[in-house]
């Protein structure tokens, strides 16, 4: 895994060209304006703020997420894509504050992008959000949107007192020289990527292996997340409403591969997952039938982390011709 640094302007350029993308399994932009201001202040003062983790691949994912309120352009197919696995909030903040090229999607909030540097500020954090981006006192505030826009930057500082102009020059110089730490790994092996995701999860980052698998297996007429949602709803009347996507994913792996290991399940092509979903659904229902009729288990709360369901449905996939009448209508 390569450790590198990226200048802010270079990061913005790569985003504008579509070379860096946000995978759809990432959550959306959730930072409050104050947190954005503190993050920008950390860059300004040279404080450490963590690295960005990128996964480089030549095979684009089927679905991608907007970068906050901005829809990123398509990448040149001749170039690989860097997907953001960790650091999306920071990248979105940087792009939203400094970029001038993309217009936000309709009905997307952008008030948090109106961040200004307060001249002669006595505050510990000299950055403030202003409600009106076009109507402000340029003797007191400088919009960060123009840090990398040389014509605008020069226009705004042309008639300022030398001391104010010098403050803005120093500001621009700091952000121009600031570097963002980047970790990047390149792989086309899904099992390897899944392992990286798992390790990130253990560090408390909200990434979902099931959502990643859903993206890889998605097609116009098959959405794994939607299929699992429907299956969960079907199971609720039978006393198993506690089943979540993680447990269903393990069940699916055991039905198809005889192993409750999502990493190995990821090695299957999307077409195989779609073709075998009926078999997965049948195995899960018969496992529950076995638990209810043979073991008198009517809720997952009686099991240890659902492990009996993991094991039993893998066994019952081999007996597709002997479904219990109790579940025959559901299967």
């Amino acid at each position: 895994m390569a450790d590198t640094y990226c200048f802010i302007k270079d990061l913005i350029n790569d985003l504008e060209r579509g070379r860096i993308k946000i995978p759809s399994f990432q959550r959306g932009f959730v930072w409050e304006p104050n947190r954005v201001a503190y993050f920008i202040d950390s860059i300004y003062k040279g404080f450490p703020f963590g690295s960005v983790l990128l996964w480089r691949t030549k095979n684009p994912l089927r679905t991608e997420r907007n970068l906050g309120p901005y829809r990123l352009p398509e990448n040149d197919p001749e170039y690989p894509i860097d997907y953001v696995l960790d650091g999306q909030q920071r990248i979105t903040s940087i792009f939203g504050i400094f970029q001038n090229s993309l217009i936000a999607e309709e009905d997307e909030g952008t008030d948090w992008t109106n961040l200004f540097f307060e001249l002669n500020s006595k505050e510990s954090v000299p950055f403030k959000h202003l409600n009106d981006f076009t109507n402000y006192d340029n003797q007191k505030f400088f919009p960060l949107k123009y840090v990398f826009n040389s014509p605008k930057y020069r226009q705004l500082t042309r008639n300022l007192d030398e001391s104010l102009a010098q403050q803005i020059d120093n500001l621009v110089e700091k952000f121009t020289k600031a570097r963002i730490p980047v970790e990047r790994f390149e792989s086309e092996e899904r099992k390897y990527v899944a392992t990286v995701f798992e390790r990130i999860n253990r560090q408390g980052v909200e990434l979902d292996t099931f959502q990643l698998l859903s993206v890889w297996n998605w097609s116009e007429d098959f959405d794994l997340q939607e299929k699992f949602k429907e299956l969960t709803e079907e199971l609720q009347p039978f006393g198993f409403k506690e089943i979540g996507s993680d447990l269903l994913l393990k069940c699916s792996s055991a039905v198809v591969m005889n192993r409750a290991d999502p990493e190995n399940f990821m090695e299957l092509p999307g077409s195989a997952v779609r073709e075998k979903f009926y078999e997965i659904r049948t195995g899960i229902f018969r496992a529950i039938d076995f638990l209810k009729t043979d073991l008198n288990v009517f809720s997952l709360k009686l099991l240890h982390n659902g492990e009996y369901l993991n094991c039993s449905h893998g066994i019952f996939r081999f007996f597709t011709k002997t479904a219990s009448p109790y579940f025959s209508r559901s299967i």
Side-chain angles (χ1 to χ4, degrees):
M1 187 176 293
D3 296 331
T4 59
Y5 288 89
C6 181
F7 290 110
I8 292 177
K9 183 58 177 174
D10 293 336
L11 178 66
I12 292 174
N13 288 340
D14 282 346
L15 288 163
E16 290 175 337
R17 295 171 183 170
R19 294 183 181 177
I20 298 177
K21 292 290 188 75
I22 308 298
S24 63
F25 49 80
Q26 283 272 29
R27 60 178 179 172
F29 183 66
V30 297
W31 274 13
E32 296 294 328
N34 283 345
R35 187 165 184 182
V36 174
Y38 273 97
F39 170 62
I40 296 300
D41 184 62
S42 293
I43 299 177
Y44 173 68
K45 293 175 178 174
F47 294 163
F49 49 82
S51 62
V52 171
L53 178 61
L54 302 177
W55 161 41
R56 175 163 291 183
T57 176
K58 296 178 181 177
N59 298 307
L61 298 175
R62 289 178 178 269
T63 56
E64 297 166 344
R65 181 183 289 277
N66 285 356
L67 182 73
Y70 306 104
R71 180 179 295 277
L72 298 175
E74 294 299 318
N75 181 43
D76 185 333
E78 296 296 321
Y79 291 89
I81 296 177
D82 287 336
Y83 284 108
V84 181
L85 301 190
D86 189 21
Q88 180 205 169
Q89 306 298 312
R90 283 163 282 175
I91 284 182
T92 305
S93 297
I94 291 172
F95 188 79
I97 294 300
F98 294 110
Q99 72 90 26
N100 296 279
S101 61
L102 299 186
I103 299 175
E105 295 281 281
E106 189 176 354
D107 298 327
E108 290 283 357
T110 57
D111 290 346
W112 62 271
T113 66
N114 298 332
L115 192 62
F116 289 73
F117 177 70
E118 185 176 11
L119 300 166
N120 293 325
S121 175
K122 303 300 182 183
E123 303 292 332
S124 59
V125 177
F127 299 98
K128 288 189 175 181
H129 286 93
L130 300 184
N131 295 328
D132 191 345
F133 181 79
T134 60
N135 185 20
Y136 62 92
D137 186 350
N138 67 353
Q139 300 288 322
K140 293 183 178 179
F141 298 99
F142 176 79
L144 296 190
K145 282 245 185 272
Y146 300 145
V147 165
F148 297 104
N149 186 333
S150 296
K152 265 295 190 185
Y153 156 48
R154 290 303 175 192
Q155 178 185 341
L156 291 175
T157 57
R158 185 177 300 133
N159 298 320
L160 289 180
D161 291 341
E162 184 176 348
S163 62
L164 297 181
Q166 186 60 53
Q167 289 182 50
I168 296 175
D169 287 344
N170 292 339
L171 172 85
V172 171
E173 182 180 13
K174 285 187 177 182
F175 283 119
T176 301
K177 292 182 177 180
R179 300 191 302 172
I180 310 301
V182 175
E183 295 181 86
R184 181 186 288 106
F185 73 94
E186 185 171 356
S187 177
E188 304 300 337
E189 296 182 15
R190 295 179 177 182
K191 184 175 181 180
Y192 179 80
V193 176
T195 302
V196 173
F197 271 40
E198 182 184 6
R199 300 295 171 84
I200 295 175
N201 275 327
R202 290 178 180 176
Q203 295 176 16
V205 179
E206 295 185 9
L207 294 175
D208 192 330
T209 302
F210 165 65
Q211 290 176 325
L212 172 61
L213 181 65
S214 300
V215 173
W216 274 330
N217 295 328
W218 183 90
S219 72
E220 291 292 343
D221 56 355
F222 184 92
D223 186 328
L224 189 62
Q225 293 193 61
E226 187 62 30
K227 292 292 186 182
F228 272 22
K229 179 182 178 182
E230 293 173 0
L231 184 55
T232 300
E233 293 174 353
E234 288 184 77
L235 294 173
Q236 287 185 8
F238 303 111
F240 286 82
K241 63 181 180 180
E242 302 92 349
I243 292 180
S245 60
D246 182 64
L247 181 54
L248 286 176
L249 183 59
K250 293 179 180 178
C251 292
S252 300
S253 179
V255 167
V256 177
M257 305 187 71
N258 295 327
R259 295 182 60 186
D261 185 349
E263 290 183 11
N264 287 280
F265 193 49
M266 282 189 175
E267 294 180 351
L268 283 176
S271 58
V273 176
R274 296 190 291 271
E275 291 170 2
K276 291 180 176 290
F277 189 77
Y278 177 79
E279 183 180 341
I280 292 170
R281 182 179 177 278
T282 300
I284 291 173
F285 269 103
R286 291 182 178 171
I288 291 178
D289 189 13
F290 169 72
L291 292 173
K292 293 174 71 73
T293 58
D294 290 60
L295 302 180
N296 293 319
V297 173
F298 295 89
S299 172
L300 288 182
K301 294 179 180 179
L302 301 176
L303 302 178
H304 177 65
N305 295 328
E307 291 304 322
Y308 278 110
L309 182 59
N310 265 351
C311 299
S312 60
H313 81 279
I315 297 173
F316 272 79
R317 79 180 190 87
F318 294 105
F319 300 98
T320 55
K321 295 182 181 180
T322 57
S324 166
Y326 185 73
F327 278 90
S328 60
R329 289 173 295 180
S330 298
I331 300 175

